[in-house]
Amino acid sequence: MYYTASWCGACITFGPKLARFQRDHPDDFEVIVLSCDEDETNFRGFMQGKPFLSVPFRSRSRHTLMSSFSAPYIPTLIVLNPDGQVVSEWGRSAVSTNAETCLDGWRRGEAGVSWWHLLRVWKLIN
Protein backbone atom coordinates (compact mmCIF):
# COMPACT_ATOMS: atom_id res chain seq x y z
CA MET A 1 0.00 0.00 0.00
CA TYR A 2 1.59 3.22 -1.16
CA TYR A 3 0.38 6.42 0.50
CA THR A 4 1.16 9.34 -1.76
CA ALA A 5 -0.17 12.69 -2.99
CA SER A 6 0.26 14.94 -6.00
CA TRP A 7 1.43 17.89 -3.86
CA CYS A 8 4.14 15.93 -1.98
CA GLY A 9 7.68 16.63 -3.19
CA ALA A 10 9.12 13.51 -1.56
CA CYS A 11 6.38 11.43 -3.24
CA ILE A 12 7.26 12.89 -6.62
CA THR A 13 10.93 12.00 -6.03
CA PHE A 14 10.26 8.48 -4.72
CA GLY A 15 7.68 7.51 -7.37
CA PRO A 16 10.18 6.73 -10.17
CA LYS A 17 12.30 4.58 -7.80
CA LEU A 18 9.21 2.64 -6.82
CA ALA A 19 8.13 2.23 -10.46
CA ARG A 20 11.60 0.92 -11.36
CA PHE A 21 11.50 -1.51 -8.42
CA GLN A 22 8.10 -2.78 -9.51
CA ARG A 23 9.29 -3.12 -13.11
CA ASP A 24 12.34 -5.11 -11.92
CA HIS A 25 10.12 -7.50 -9.89
CA PRO A 26 6.92 -7.90 -11.94
CA ASP A 27 6.03 -11.34 -10.59
CA ASP A 28 6.72 -10.56 -6.94
CA PHE A 29 5.68 -6.98 -6.27
CA GLU A 30 2.65 -4.84 -7.03
CA VAL A 31 1.96 -1.27 -5.93
CA ILE A 32 -1.52 -0.18 -4.86
CA VAL A 33 -1.85 3.57 -4.36
CA LEU A 34 -3.90 5.13 -1.61
CA SER A 35 -4.12 8.79 -2.51
CA CYS A 36 -3.87 11.39 0.21
CA ASP A 37 -5.02 14.06 -2.23
CA GLU A 38 -8.13 16.05 -1.40
CA ASP A 39 -9.03 16.58 -5.03
CA GLU A 40 -9.82 13.80 -7.50
CA THR A 41 -8.61 15.83 -10.49
CA ASN A 42 -5.15 16.24 -8.96
CA PHE A 43 -5.09 12.55 -8.08
CA ARG A 44 -5.98 11.50 -11.64
CA GLY A 45 -3.34 13.81 -13.10
CA PHE A 46 -0.73 12.52 -10.67
CA MET A 47 -1.50 8.87 -11.50
CA GLN A 48 -1.43 9.38 -15.26
CA GLY A 49 1.35 7.34 -16.84
CA LYS A 50 2.28 5.57 -13.61
CA PRO A 51 2.37 1.75 -13.66
CA PHE A 52 0.57 1.43 -10.33
CA LEU A 53 -2.85 0.15 -9.39
CA SER A 54 -4.92 2.52 -7.30
CA VAL A 55 -7.94 2.38 -5.07
CA PRO A 56 -10.62 4.56 -6.71
CA PHE A 57 -10.60 8.04 -5.23
CA ARG A 58 -14.28 8.10 -4.24
CA SER A 59 -14.34 4.50 -3.02
CA ARG A 60 -15.32 3.70 0.55
CA SER A 61 -12.55 1.11 0.43
CA ARG A 62 -10.01 3.94 0.14
CA HIS A 63 -11.13 5.47 3.42
CA THR A 64 -11.37 2.07 5.11
CA LEU A 65 -7.86 1.12 4.01
CA MET A 66 -6.46 4.51 5.00
CA SER A 67 -7.77 4.06 8.53
CA SER A 68 -6.77 0.36 8.69
CA PHE A 69 -3.11 0.95 7.82
CA SER A 70 -1.84 4.08 9.50
CA ALA A 71 0.73 6.11 7.64
CA PRO A 72 2.33 8.72 9.90
CA TYR A 73 3.74 10.59 6.89
CA ILE A 74 3.87 10.41 3.13
CA PRO A 75 5.26 8.86 1.13
CA THR A 76 4.75 5.64 3.05
CA LEU A 77 5.02 2.19 1.51
CA ILE A 78 3.50 -0.56 3.65
CA VAL A 79 4.46 -4.02 2.44
CA LEU A 80 1.82 -6.74 2.76
CA ASN A 81 2.17 -10.47 2.25
CA PRO A 82 -0.25 -12.35 -0.04
CA ASP A 83 -2.57 -12.88 2.95
CA GLY A 84 -2.85 -9.12 3.53
CA GLN A 85 -0.75 -9.07 6.69
CA VAL A 86 1.72 -6.24 7.24
CA VAL A 87 5.30 -7.39 6.67
CA SER A 88 6.98 -3.99 6.84
CA GLU A 89 6.09 -0.36 7.34
CA TRP A 90 9.58 0.56 6.13
CA GLY A 91 9.00 -0.17 2.44
CA ARG A 92 10.08 3.27 1.24
CA SER A 93 13.38 3.04 3.11
CA ALA A 94 13.92 -0.52 1.93
CA VAL A 95 13.35 0.32 -1.75
CA SER A 96 15.48 3.47 -1.44
CA THR A 97 18.45 1.96 0.40
CA ASN A 98 18.32 -1.81 -0.05
CA ALA A 99 16.55 -2.48 -3.35
CA GLU A 100 18.83 -5.40 -4.18
CA THR A 101 17.79 -7.59 -1.25
CA CYS A 102 14.71 -6.13 0.44
CA LEU A 103 12.33 -8.44 -1.45
CA ASP A 104 14.15 -11.46 0.01
CA GLY A 105 13.80 -9.94 3.47
CA TRP A 106 10.09 -9.36 2.96
CA ARG A 107 9.65 -12.99 1.93
CA ARG A 108 11.21 -13.98 5.26
CA GLY A 109 8.85 -11.63 7.10
CA GLU A 110 11.58 -9.05 7.81
CA ALA A 111 11.49 -5.28 7.37
CA GLY A 112 13.69 -5.40 4.26
CA VAL A 113 15.98 -2.72 5.65
CA SER A 114 18.29 -2.61 8.65
CA TRP A 115 19.35 0.19 10.94
CA TRP A 116 22.73 0.02 9.24
CA HIS A 117 21.09 0.93 5.91
CA LEU A 118 19.16 3.76 7.51
CA LEU A 119 22.17 5.16 9.36
CA ARG A 120 24.16 5.19 6.12
CA VAL A 121 21.41 7.15 4.38
CA TRP A 122 21.18 9.55 7.31
CA LYS A 123 24.98 9.86 7.04
CA LEU A 124 25.53 8.85 10.65
CA ILE A 125 28.04 6.16 9.64
CA ASN A 126 30.28 5.68 6.61
Side-chain angles (χ1 to χ4, degrees):
M1 305 302 287
Y2 178 43
Y3 291 75
T4 187
S6 62
W7 48 264
C8 170
C11 299
I12 293 166
T13 301
F14 179 63
K17 289 179 188 176
L18 185 57
R20 189 170 33 258
F21 185 82
Q22 179 178 291
R23 188 176 56 245
D24 291 346
H25 305 281
D27 297 329
D28 300 309
F29 187 78
E30 188 70 56
V31 175
I32 301 172
V33 170
L34 284 171
S35 173
C36 296
D37 281 301
E38 294 181 11
D39 178 273
E40 186 173 8
T41 303
N42 288 340
F43 165 66
R44 287 179 185 260
F46 181 67
M47 287 299 296
Q48 194 168 26
K50 291 190 174 50
F52 309 138
L53 300 174
S54 65
V55 177
F57 189 82
R58 296 192 185 274
S59 168
R60 273 186 199 202
S61 298
R62 178 175 157 258
H63 297 288
T64 301
L65 288 167
M66 289 182 89
S67 62
S68 297
F69 302 102
S70 65
Y73 53 85
I74 59 172
T76 291
L77 178 63
I78 297 175
V79 179
L80 306 174
N81 68 17
D83 296 326
Q85 298 171 322
V86 174
V87 174
S88 177
E89 295 178 351
W90 291 88
R92 175 184 172 209
S93 295
V95 169
S96 295
T97 65
N98 189 31
E100 306 80 39
T101 62
C102 64
L103 194 58
D104 293 330
W106 294 335
R107 286 185 186 117
R108 292 187 304 269
E110 300 168 358
V113 66
S114 68
W115 283 108
W116 180 81
H117 291 107
L118 296 174
L119 293 173
R120 282 190 58 209
V121 171
W122 297 331
K123 307 224 187 290
L124 299 176
I125 62 172
N126 290 332

